[in-house]
Amino acid sequence: ATSPETTRQMRTLWRTAPDDVVPYGVERSWLSPPSEVHTPPRVSLIGRLEPSKGQREFLRHLSPPGTDFDLKIIGGASDNEYAREVLPAWEAYYEGYQSDASLRQSYRDSDIVVVPSWLENFSMVGLEAIATSNALVITADCGMAQFDWATADNGIFVADGRRHAAALVSELVANPDLERYQQAAYEFACSLTWNIVAQEY
């Protein structure tokens, strides 16, 4: 299994248990040490626009950006009807689909990345976020959030829902320790490269 979430699904749906739980790794080339926190902090919501990604509910509880933070919504729309529900109030912040090179730069230009999904067996967005020195806000529905290392000490903030995720973002952009959380996220991500995961497991 790739996470505790995958284990839960296997036990519930397949009536079996995995032999081991092996997390995904990140390519070493993704690792990018932190720079200074931007003023105001930059928050990125990265992922395809579709109901399971939770953007609509997250944004309903997020105060529109002002002087507190900048926001970017990044990702193609795989569900056009859903996108029409989400974007009208947030169109000014929508970057759309990005190429791999542009996406990697967007991660590096961010301070906080949000993954408000209803369900992710792991969440590569979350892993790429910490590899590029972002504090991560991720919902407990995601497999990555269910490991015992998903803690604030590692720059990872686990939300119990989309409303809580929005509240955590509001707290983080005003937190004087944000730079420390970014450094912690980067240092932890260094232990989750594919080479290290392969050697460990």
Side-chain angles (χ1 to χ4, degrees), residues 1 22 46 78 83-84 97 105 189:
V22 182
I46 298 174
S78 59
R84 284 192 293 270
Y97 171 81
Q105 190 58 51

Side-chain angles (χ1 to χ4, degrees), residues 45-68:
L45 183 57
I46 298 174
R48 294 183 309 277
L49 287 174
E50 59 184 52
S52 67
K53 300 299 183 183
Q55 297 104 334
R56 177 177 54 201
E57 290 72 16
F58 168 75
L59 290 168
R60 280 179 181 164
H61 299 295
L62 188 70
S63 299
T67 57
D68 295 340

Side-chain angles (χ1 to χ4, degrees), residues 20-137:
D20 205 349
V21 178
V22 182
Y24 284 137
V26 68
E27 294 292 341
R28 187 164 182 78
S29 62
W30 269 85
L31 294 173
S32 176
S35 54
E36 288 186 14
V37 174
H38 297 89
T39 305
R42 296 176 180 174
V43 178
S44 292
L45 183 57
I46 298 174
R48 294 183 309 277
L49 287 174
E50 59 184 52
S52 67
K53 300 299 183 183
Q55 297 104 334
R56 177 177 54 201
E57 290 72 16
F58 168 75
L59 290 168
R60 280 179 181 164
H61 299 295
L62 188 70
S63 299
T67 57
D68 295 340
F69 65 96
D70 287 332
L71 176 69
K72 286 186 178 181
I73 303 170
I74 300 167
S78 59
D79 185 319
N80 291 328
E81 183 176 343
Y82 177 75
R84 284 192 293 270
E85 293 176 14
V86 172
L87 292 179
W90 300 90
E91 198 161 4
Y93 310 101
Y94 181 53
E95 301 271 314
Y97 171 81
Q98 292 185 348
S99 67
D100 288 349
S102 295
L103 180 59
R104 192 174 298 200
Q105 190 58 51
S106 289
Y107 276 109
R108 289 173 175 163
D109 289 341
S110 299
D111 297 302
I112 300 166
V113 168
V114 188
V115 179
S117 299
W118 294 100
L119 179 66
E120 298 275 359
N121 279 356
F122 189 80
S123 179
M124 283 306 296
V125 169
L127 185 52
E128 290 165 355
I130 63 172
T132 47
S133 301
N134 286 279
L136 173 65
V137 174

